[in-house]
Amino acid sequence: MADTITIRTDAETEHALDVLTHDGSSRSAVIRQAVLEAALRKERAAAMRRAVLRMPLGEPDGVDVAAEISRDREGER
């Protein structure tokens, strides 16, 4: 059984719904699709973050970038 939800729309949301329903799709159908697509994007982004965090960093090269930046900025003060 499907649940029913109610949303309050503003002018921007109404315009978006007008664009999405221009082809004759129902508001309910386009809202469902938008929610599903948003969830998929969020899941993909989380998976990408996890993949990046699992990437090997490699061996340190001995360069202290913070120290180099600090030295470079000494002349700016």
Side-chain angles (χ1 to χ4, degrees):
M1 178 168 89
D3 291 331
T4 300
I5 62 170
T6 302
I7 62 168
R8 287 192 173 90
T9 61
D10 56 12
E12 186 177 18
T13 306
E14 284 295 328
H15 174 71
L17 285 169
D18 288 343
V19 169
L20 293 171
T21 57
H22 184 72
D23 66 354
S25 299
S26 72
R27 288 167 64 106
S28 184
V30 299
I31 291 169
R32 268 194 307 275
Q33 187 63 37
V35 169
L36 293 172
E37 289 174 6
L40 182 60
R41 281 192 307 272
K42 199 166 246 202
E43 287 174 337
R44 284 182 180 163
M48 286 174 55
R49 281 190 299 276
R50 287 190 302 272
V52 167
L53 291 173
R54 285 192 302 265
M55 293 173 98
L57 295 177
E59 295 298 318
D61 58 7
V63 176
D64 186 348
V65 175
E68 286 190 24
I69 291 172
S70 179
R71 269 193 307 277
D72 291 344
R73 291 193 174 172
E74 285 294 322
E76 296 175 8
R77 294 183 188 167

